[in-house]
Every structure is written in C-alpha cells, then in structure tokens.
Coordinates of all heavy atoms in Angstrom, one line a residue:
L10 N -1.2 -0.4 31.9 CA -1.2 -0.4 30.4 C -0.4 0.9 30.1 O -0.8 2.0 30.6 CB -2.6 -0.3 29.9 CG -3.5 -1.6 30.1 CD1 -4.8 -1.4 29.4 CD2 -2.8 -2.8 29.7
S11 N 0.5 0.8 29.1 CA 1.2 2.1 28.7 C 1.3 2.2 27.1 O 1.6 1.1 26.5 CB 2.6 1.9 29.3 OG 3.3 3.0 28.7
T12 N 0.7 3.3 26.7 CA 1.0 3.6 25.3 C 2.1 4.7 25.1 O 2.2 5.3 24.1 CB -0.3 4.1 24.6 OG1 -0.8 5.2 25.3 CG2 -1.3 3.0 24.5
T13 N 2.9 4.8 26.1 CA 3.9 5.9 26.1 C 5.3 5.2 26.3 O 6.3 6.0 26.6 CB 3.6 7.0 27.2 OG1 3.6 6.3 28.5 CG2 2.4 7.7 27.0
Q14 N 5.4 3.9 26.2 CA 6.6 3.3 26.3 C 7.4 3.5 27.8 O 8.6 3.6 27.8 CB 7.7 3.7 25.2 CG 7.1 3.3 23.8 CD 6.8 1.9 23.6 OE1 7.6 1.1 24.0 NE2 5.8 1.6 22.9
T15 N 6.6 3.7 28.8 CA 7.2 3.9 30.1 C 6.5 2.9 31.1 O 5.2 2.5 30.8 CB 7.0 5.3 30.6 OG1 5.6 5.6 30.7 CG2 7.7 6.3 29.6
V16 N 7.0 2.6 32.2 CA 6.5 1.9 33.3 C 6.6 2.7 34.5 O 7.8 3.1 34.9 CB 7.1 0.5 33.4 CG1 6.5 -0.2 34.7 CG2 6.8 -0.3 32.2
D17 N 5.5 3.0 35.3 CA 5.5 4.0 36.4 C 5.3 3.4 37.7 O 5.3 4.0 38.6 CB 4.4 5.0 36.1 CG 4.6 5.8 34.8 OD1 5.8 6.1 34.5 OD2 3.6 6.2 34.1
Q18 N 5.1 2.1 37.8 CA 5.0 1.4 39.0 C 5.7 0.0 39.0 O 5.8 -0.5 37.9 CB 3.5 1.2 39.3 CG 2.6 0.5 38.3 CD 1.3 0.3 38.7 OE1 0.9 -0.3 39.8 NE2 0.3 0.8 37.9
P19 N 6.0 -0.6 40.2 CA 6.7 -1.8 40.1 C 5.8 -2.9 39.6 O 4.6 -3.1 39.9 CB 7.0 -2.0 41.7 CG 6.9 -0.7 42.3 CD 5.9 0.1 41.5
V20 N 6.4 -3.7 38.6 CA 5.7 -4.8 38.1 C 6.7 -6.1 38.0 O 8.0 -5.8 37.9 CB 5.2 -4.5 36.6 CG1 4.0 -3.6 36.8 CG2 6.2 -4.0 35.7
D21 N 6.2 -7.2 38.0 CA 7.0 -8.4 37.8 C 7.5 -8.5 36.4 O 8.8 -8.9 36.2 CB 6.3 -9.6 38.3 CG 6.0 -9.6 39.7 OD1 6.8 -9.3 40.6 OD2 4.8 -10.0 40.1
I22 N 6.6 -8.3 35.4 CA 7.0 -8.4 34.0 C 6.5 -7.3 33.2 O 5.3 -6.9 33.4 CB 6.5 -9.8 33.5 CG1 7.1 -11.1 34.2 CG2 6.7 -9.9 31.9 CD1 6.6 -12.3 33.8
V23 N 7.3 -6.8 32.3 CA 6.9 -5.9 31.2 C 6.6 -6.7 30.0 O 7.5 -7.4 29.5 CB 7.9 -4.8 30.9 CG1 7.5 -4.0 29.7 CG2 8.0 -3.8 32.1
L24 N 5.4 -6.7 29.4 CA 5.1 -7.4 28.3 C 5.0 -6.5 27.1 O 4.2 -5.7 27.0 CB 3.8 -8.2 28.3 CG 3.4 -9.2 27.2 CD1 4.3 -10.3 27.1 CD2 1.9 -9.7 27.5
Y25 N 6.2 -6.5 26.3 CA 6.3 -5.5 25.3 C 5.8 -6.0 24.0 O 6.3 -6.9 23.3 CB 7.8 -5.3 25.0 CG 8.2 -4.3 24.0 CD1 8.2 -2.9 24.1 CD2 8.8 -4.8 22.8 CE1 8.6 -2.1 23.1 CE2 9.3 -4.0 21.8 CZ 9.1 -2.6 21.9 OH 9.5 -1.9 20.9
D26 N 4.5 -5.6 23.7 CA 3.9 -5.9 22.5 C 4.5 -5.2 21.3 O 4.5 -4.0 21.3 CB 2.4 -5.6 22.5 CG 1.6 -6.2 21.4 OD1 1.8 -5.9 20.3 OD2 0.6 -7.0 21.7
A27 N 4.9 -6.0 20.2 CA 5.8 -5.4 19.2 C 4.9 -5.0 18.0 O 5.4 -4.9 16.9 CB 6.9 -6.3 18.8
F28 N 3.6 -4.8 18.1 CA 2.9 -4.4 17.0 C 3.4 -3.1 16.4 O 3.5 -2.1 17.1 CB 1.3 -4.2 17.5 CG 0.4 -3.7 16.4 CD1 -0.1 -4.5 15.4 CD2 0.2 -2.3 16.2 CE1 -0.9 -4.1 14.4 CE2 -0.6 -1.9 15.2 CZ -1.2 -2.7 14.3
A29 N 3.6 -3.1 15.1 CA 4.0 -1.9 14.3 C 5.2 -1.2 14.8 O 5.3 0.0 14.8 CB 2.8 -1.0 14.1
Q30 N 6.1 -2.0 15.4 CA 7.4 -1.4 15.8 C 8.4 -2.5 15.9 O 8.0 -3.7 16.0 CB 7.3 -0.8 17.3 CG 6.7 -1.7 18.4 CD 6.2 -1.0 19.6 OE1 7.0 -0.1 20.1 NE2 4.9 -1.1 20.0
P31 N 9.7 -2.1 15.8 CA 10.7 -3.2 15.7 C 10.7 -4.0 17.0 O 10.8 -3.6 18.1 CB 12.1 -2.5 15.5 CG 11.6 -1.2 15.0 CD 10.3 -0.8 15.6
E32 N 10.7 -5.4 16.9 CA 10.8 -6.3 18.1 C 12.0 -6.0 18.9 O 11.9 -6.2 20.1 CB 10.8 -7.7 17.5 CG 9.4 -8.3 17.2 CD 9.0 -8.0 15.8 OE1 9.7 -7.1 15.2 OE2 7.9 -8.4 15.3
T33 N 13.1 -5.6 18.4 CA 14.3 -5.4 19.1 C 14.8 -4.0 19.0 O 16.0 -3.6 18.8 CB 15.4 -6.4 18.7 OG1 15.6 -6.1 17.2 CG2 15.0 -7.8 19.0
D34 N 13.8 -3.0 19.1 CA 14.2 -1.6 19.2 C 15.0 -1.4 20.5 O 14.5 -1.5 21.6 CB 13.0 -0.8 19.3 CG 13.2 0.7 19.2 OD1 13.9 1.2 20.0 OD2 12.7 1.3 18.3
T35 N 16.3 -1.2 20.3 CA 17.2 -1.1 21.4 C 16.9 -0.1 22.4 O 16.8 -0.4 23.6 CB 18.7 -0.9 20.9 OG1 19.0 -1.9 19.9 CG2 19.7 -0.9 22.1
A36 N 16.4 1.1 22.0 CA 16.2 2.2 22.9 C 14.9 1.8 23.8 O 14.9 2.0 24.9 CB 16.0 3.4 22.2

C-alpha cells in the first residue's frame, strides 16, 4: 500500500486509485 506515489517491490499490477487527484496525471 502506498500513499507516497511510489512502488518499492515487484508487483504484477499497480492499482492507481484516483481519489482526489487527476485520473490521468501524467507524472
């Protein structure tokens, strides 16, 4: 689980929950 917009270990899928942020925030 990340509240810092990073992923620190290998995972099959990142599920980017777009609550209160742009769905397509490019960065």
Side-chain angles (χ1 to χ4, degrees):
L10 297 183
S11 175
T12 55
T13 59
Q14 303 295 324
T15 61
V16 173
D17 300 320
Q18 60 179 296
V20 293
D21 295 315
I22 295 174
V23 171
L24 188 60
Y25 175 81
D26 190 301
F28 176 85
Q30 52 197 310
E32 279 80 353
T33 55
D34 186 301
T35 303

